[in-house]
Structures are given as C-alpha cells and as structure tokens.
Amino acid sequence: MPDSQFRALRPHSKSKGGCKRCKARKVKCNEARPCESCHRRNETCEYPDPGPRKRASGSRSPLPSTISTQVTNTIASSTPPYAVSRENFPLSIESKERRLLELKLMHHFITSTVQKNFLSVHDEHVLDMWYSLAPALAIDHPVLLNIILSIAALHIFKVNPEELRMADIHRIYFNAAVSEHRNVIQDINPQNIEAVCLSTILIGLPAFMFLQNTEIGSYSPPLQLFHLMEGTIIVFQTALPMLSDRSKVRSVMNAKPNIVDFRDSPMEDYLKPFSKLTQWRASAEEIDAESQQAYNFMLGYIGAIHVKIEEGWDERQLRRVYYSLITLTPPKFVEQLHQRNPRALVILAYYFSLAKAMDDVWWMRGIAERETLGIQSILPEHWQWAMAWPLQKLAFYAASSVPSSKGADSKDAA
C-alpha cells in the first residue's frame, strides 16, 4: 500500500514517545520497535533516552526505578524475544488482510484457546475472565491485544503445524507485546491495572513453550524460565494493591487449589521419597545452610505435587500448582542452577519429570522428555544414579493414562 494511501486512513497527531526519525519527519509514530514508518522504509529505528515520566492525575506511582530495571531485564529486555522477518507479513500497516487476520485470531482465542484446559479455566470465574473481560480490555490496551493475538497464533500453529505462517505471526505480535509491556509497566495505574496483570500472565506463558525447542545435544538449564517468572511476581506485587476487590482478575489468584495454602503445607512430610538424595554427599561436596533450605523446599514441593498426581487430581489443578513452583523458587536454588550444580540439576529433573503426568496441552507437550533427558546428558557420571527416580516417573506417566483430564479433547488439548 503506498504511503499516501496509508496516511489517508489516519488523521495526523503528534507522538510523545516516538522514534528519532519520526520526530525528525514530524510524522505520527506508533512507538513499536521498530515502528511502522521505519519498518516500511527499511530504516534503523532508534529512540531517544526516556526522561522522567509525568504521572496523570489520580494515577499511582510507577514501579520504583530499581524494580523497573529488574523487570525490564527479566520480562522485557530491549532486545525482542524473537528475530523475525516481516517481509511476507505486512502487519505494520492498516489493511484488509491485517483486519481479517486479527479478527480471526481474536475469534480463535475466545472460542478455542481459552475454552479447553487453558490457565485455571477449571474455575468458571477464570474462564469468564479470559473469554469476556480480556478481549474487552484489549480494545483499549494494545499490550493485551498483541499478546492475545500472539497466543492465538501460536495455538493455531501448535495444533496445525502445517500453518507455518502462524509461527511468524506469533513472533511478530509477541515482540510487539513485550515492547509495549516494557513501556506500560513504567506507569501502572488504576486505568491500566487489569490489562497489565492479564498481559503479564500471558507473556509468561510462552516461557514454558520455549522449552519445547530445547535441543538435548546442547542442553542448558532453562534459566530464562525462572527469570521471566521472577519479573512476573515483581509486577504482581506492585499491581495487586491497586486492583479493585471486585475485579474479575482476582479470580486468577482466588482459583482453587489455593497456592498460598499449598505452599504453606508441611513440606517436610513430602521429603521421604528423596531421603537417599538428601542424605548423600558427593566427594568434596559442601552444602551451606541456605542452599540446603532451598533444596529441601524444592524437593518438598515436588513431593507434594507427586502425591497429588497419585491421588488423581484433575490435570488443570495439577498444572496450577506445578507452574507456581517456578514463581516460588528460592533465589539460592536459581543461583546453583547458574553454576550447574549437579544437585540442583537433579532436583530440576525431578520437577520436569512430573510434567509428563499433565502435558496433554499444546504448550507443554515434549517438555518433560527434553528437560529430564537433557539434564541427564550433562550430569557427571557419579551423579547418574540420582536420575533413576525421574526417569522412572517419566516412563510411567508416558505409558499411563492416569491422571486423565475428563472431557479433554486429546487431539486438540487446549
């Protein structure tokens, strides 16, 4: 579409946060990274250093600068999560193709993605939030709109792998959502609080999906998963006090099982299956008190999840407590993963092996095998014995239909 036709579709207005080139040309900048104008012209898109942001009347304080920096580094770094080519997908301009595509994606999100085993939709209030509140909020909040469209495109691709175009569309919208999220979290206020919370949840979902691309032959611990979820918690800690008690978004926190109750249950009761691991020491291995506490917490939580699997909990409830461990992981444990500490890696393998009991959803398939076997591939020989338990669980759940998710469509789960 020629530039003159494109500009005719939209009245000119100034952009307060536009890129340098748009400001120099005195044209409207959509503030994407890269922006629409620079992308069309195949030019480098650069932004000026942001100055102090003024708060609107009645708004709440933005994230403190130290926390904002940490969130930016964990959830929304300046580098887009995906390197993509948009040559074949002219989504940066208004067109009939783009409008129809976005309509298709939103329809798919509402009628398919959130209807089958999506995040905590075993709770009817959460289900209502995803298919009614989230799309309504997306109309006024581009960050939420972009991540919804991204998740819908990825879902279509996962259940229909022949639709390769949807993989690139997912990447384009995901990059746009992350870029917008970086800006929005600088000024969380009562007007955007619900959209911030929902977009933060959805941006965190692909963290598990990235694990599906892990190559066992060159395995590295999924540190990005822990860092992304760490940023998610920081945003929620800041946002929740502003959230109305009547907001439907609170249904995500209030859904059963209650994560706080689960976390505060006596985890030492679940350590028994791992007594050999907790008592054994490798040659020259020394464990300080903080590390030991972190190991015991992780093993206790893993043991509790294992018990709930054996008790036949619904897969959707299992996934809720399973995901929560990543957000509750002690920093000391993540530090040990950074150092590729064998004990921490073994415990991580215990965790991922249990994913096989609940992976009949499109964003989890294959993760249990890739992560468990990947960890085994980098462990020293004298630690291989400790992999017996996770390998046994992996094999058992792969061969078993228990627990089953009643009513789930195994061909198109989620």
Side-chain angles (χ1 to χ4, degrees):
M1 180 181 293
D3 285 351
S4 60
Q5 290 179 312
F6 174 64
R7 285 195 292 271
L9 293 173
R10 300 164 64 186
H12 174 73
S13 60
K14 292 184 178 180
S15 171
K16 296 181 180 179
C19 73
K20 293 179 180 180
R21 291 187 182 274
C22 286
K23 286 181 179 294
R25 289 194 294 265
K26 297 182 179 180
V27 298
K28 171 70 175 180
C29 179
N30 76 329
E31 301 182 27
R33 297 175 189 255
C35 73
E36 293 176 359
S37 181
C38 290
H39 174 66
R40 291 199 312 276
R41 292 173 171 78
N42 197 27
E43 296 175 341
T44 301
C45 187
E46 297 179 344
Y47 283 78
D49 293 333
R53 297 174 64 101
K54 294 183 179 180
R55 290 189 288 127
S57 177
S59 66
R60 304 291 285 270
S61 298
L63 290 171
S65 59
T66 53
I67 296 180
S68 177
T69 300
Q70 186 176 0
V71 173
T72 297
N73 290 337
T74 54
I75 289 186
S77 66
S78 57
T79 302
Y82 291 113
V84 296
S85 172
R86 295 192 281 189
E87 294 179 358
N88 298 324
F89 307 108
L91 301 179
S92 59
I93 61 175
E94 294 290 346
S95 66
K96 179 180 179 181
E97 178 189 11
R98 176 175 175 175
R99 289 193 294 271
L100 291 176
L101 171 64
E102 293 184 346
L103 181 62
K104 172 184 177 179
L105 293 176
M106 183 59 77
H107 178 265
H108 183 86
F109 182 83
I110 295 171
T111 62
S112 183
T113 303
V114 303
Q115 295 291 336
K116 301 175 182 177
N117 293 340
F118 200 59
L119 303 175
S120 297
V121 294
H122 59 281
D123 184 300
E124 61 181 11
H125 300 293
V126 177
L127 176 60
D128 179 68
M129 181 201 70
W130 283 125
Y131 78 73
S132 63
L133 176 65
L137 288 172
I139 295 173
D140 295 319
H141 300 279
V143 61
L144 183 55
L145 176 62
N146 285 329
I147 191 59
I148 285 176
L149 299 179
S150 171
I151 295 297
L154 185 58
H155 182 206
I156 293 173
F157 171 67
K158 288 292 185 180
V159 298
N160 299 293
E162 67 277 6
E163 294 204 41
L164 296 176
R165 182 171 181 262
M166 284 297 167
D168 273 337
I169 290 172
H170 153 67
R171 296 183 184 106
I172 292 169
Y173 281 108
F174 188 74
N175 283 353
V178 169
S179 177
E180 182 69 21
H181 191 268
R182 178 174 62 247
N183 295 327
V184 170
I185 62 176
Q186 302 299 322
D187 187 19
I188 301 175
N189 57 67
Q191 286 68 49
N192 66 16
I193 183 63
E194 291 184 316
V196 168
C197 288
L198 295 185
S199 60
T200 300
I201 292 172
L202 293 178
I203 286 174
L205 181 59
F208 272 90
M209 300 175 198
F210 294 152
L211 301 181
Q212 294 175 322
N213 301 321
T214 301
E215 296 181 4
I216 296 177
S218 56
Y219 181 81
S220 296
L223 299 173
Q224 77 281 3
L225 177 63
F226 293 93
H227 294 317
L228 185 61
M229 292 303 157
E230 179 187 12
T232 298
I233 292 301
I234 294 171
V235 172
F236 267 87
Q237 287 174 339
T238 302
L240 283 179
M242 300 184 211
L243 199 61
S244 167
D245 291 339
R246 294 173 293 180
S247 171
K248 290 184 178 181
V249 175
R250 287 194 176 275
S251 63
V252 176
M253 281 69 76
N254 297 333
K256 301 298 182 182
N258 185 286
I259 300 303
V260 174
D261 291 344
F262 194 85
R263 178 200 64 190
D264 294 341
S265 60
M267 292 298 172
E268 59 273 9
D269 294 346
Y270 302 106
L271 286 173
K272 293 179 181 178
F274 314 120
S275 59
K276 183 176 180 180
L277 177 63
T278 58
Q279 295 170 13
W280 183 81
R281 295 291 182 272
S283 177
E285 181 186 18
E286 296 182 1
I287 305 177
D288 59 73
E290 185 180 3
S291 296
Q292 186 64 62
Q293 185 177 13
Y295 295 150
N296 287 347
F297 174 81
M298 295 296 290
L299 285 171
Y301 208 101
I302 292 166
I305 295 173
H306 177 245
V307 167
K308 300 309 176 185
I309 293 173
E310 298 301 310
E311 290 178 354
W313 267 26
D314 182 273
E315 284 188 17
R316 294 167 297 185
Q317 293 179 305
L318 288 172
R319 283 191 287 271
R320 180 172 169 81
V321 297
Y322 186 85
Y323 300 150
S324 68
L325 179 54
I326 298 296
T327 66
L328 300 172
T329 299
K332 189 66 174 180
F333 184 82
V334 179
E335 178 185 321
Q336 297 292 355
L337 289 179
H338 269 283
Q339 299 172 6
R340 294 201 174 194
N341 179 285
R343 185 174 295 273
L345 289 171
V346 166
I347 294 173
L348 189 64
Y350 284 27
Y351 172 73
F352 278 118
S353 69
L354 298 184
K356 193 60 190 174
M358 60 195 86
D359 74 344
D360 193 24
V361 287
W362 57 278
W363 67 85
M364 286 188 70
R365 294 192 186 110
I367 290 174
E369 294 90 341
R370 287 182 176 89
E371 294 299 316
T372 305
L373 298 177
I375 290 171
Q376 183 187 31
S377 72
I378 64 172
L379 278 177
E381 183 63 32
H382 62 281
W383 274 95
Q384 290 293 326
W385 68 268
M387 291 296 296
W389 192 88
L391 291 175
Q392 179 188 41
K393 294 302 173 184
L394 187 64
F396 176 77
Y397 294 129
S400 174
S401 59
V402 179
S404 62
S405 183
K406 297 180 180 178
D409 182 352
S410 60
K411 297 180 181 179
D412 183 21

